[in-house]
Amino acid sequence: MKTLEGKVVALGSQGVGKTSMIIRYTSRTFNKHVSPTIGASFFTCKFNMENARILLQVWDTAGQEKFKSMAPMYYRNANAAMLVFDLTRYNTFAAMKGWVAELRRKVEETMVLVLVGNKSDLRKERQVDAEEGRVYATKIGATYHETSVVENEGIENVFFTIGKGLLGLSSADRDSTSIRIYESTNLNLSTTDMLLTPSLEESAQNCNIAHGIQERPHKCC
């Protein structure tokens, strides 16, 4: 069975729930008090799909404005992007246009784009209509998803869609894509098992990267 390895970057304004969403998927836990990401956190996740092992290298970037200039070094050579906004804050949805424009300027390869409206459980506070989200996603060539970290809804489908998109890219444009494809034999888990029982392991030691920003590595296996 082949292994497909792709780089995924999570982009969005501060407080939209990027980190909580990733941790919810990888560890099946929810923490109301997740600290703001400083620079970026790094996660690896793997699951089986369509007779292939999907390995995602997920870079969770900081949403704070002071770290925005650092973003290019995280989404450089990315194969997919999670564009996350808060359904209860319209300004975070509007900010997506800036991230998309930035990706188009800086990333030459075709990317898998997923537009994610988070906090769907806060129904009375919603400021972004689902139809407006779908229309914009179609405009930029993305799929549209709504998620709730609190209720654990829609999150698995986001990662599943990214994996499926990477498979499609690798099949359609294998010669020019930077997605790594190689043969592997140690595969014992089914797709369902991988989706239902991922785990999270945080490294005991942080790694320093450019300008003193810290990368916090995690592993989902």
Side-chain angles (χ1 to χ4, degrees), residues 83-155:
L83 303 166
V84 186
F85 67 94
D86 182 343
L87 287 164
T88 70
R89 294 159 55 203
Y90 193 89
N91 64 314
T92 65
F93 175 68
M96 286 295 96
K97 296 179 181 179
W99 286 114
V100 172
E102 185 79 359
L103 287 173
R104 287 176 172 170
R105 284 196 302 268
K106 300 292 178 64
V107 181
E108 296 181 0
E109 286 192 20
T110 302
M111 298 182 71
V112 175
L113 299 179
V114 291
L115 181 64
V116 184
N118 191 35
K119 305 185 184 181
S120 61
D121 53 289
L122 301 177
R123 296 167 183 84
K124 294 183 179 180
E125 300 175 40
R126 177 188 281 263
Q127 294 183 3
V128 182
D129 184 73
E131 182 61 21
E132 185 174 6
R134 282 191 288 268
V135 168
Y136 181 64
T138 300
K139 182 178 178 180
I140 63 174
T143 56
Y144 180 66
H145 308 263
E146 292 192 353
T147 60
S148 168
V149 175
V150 175
E151 298 178 349
N152 194 22
E153 292 183 351
I155 299 172

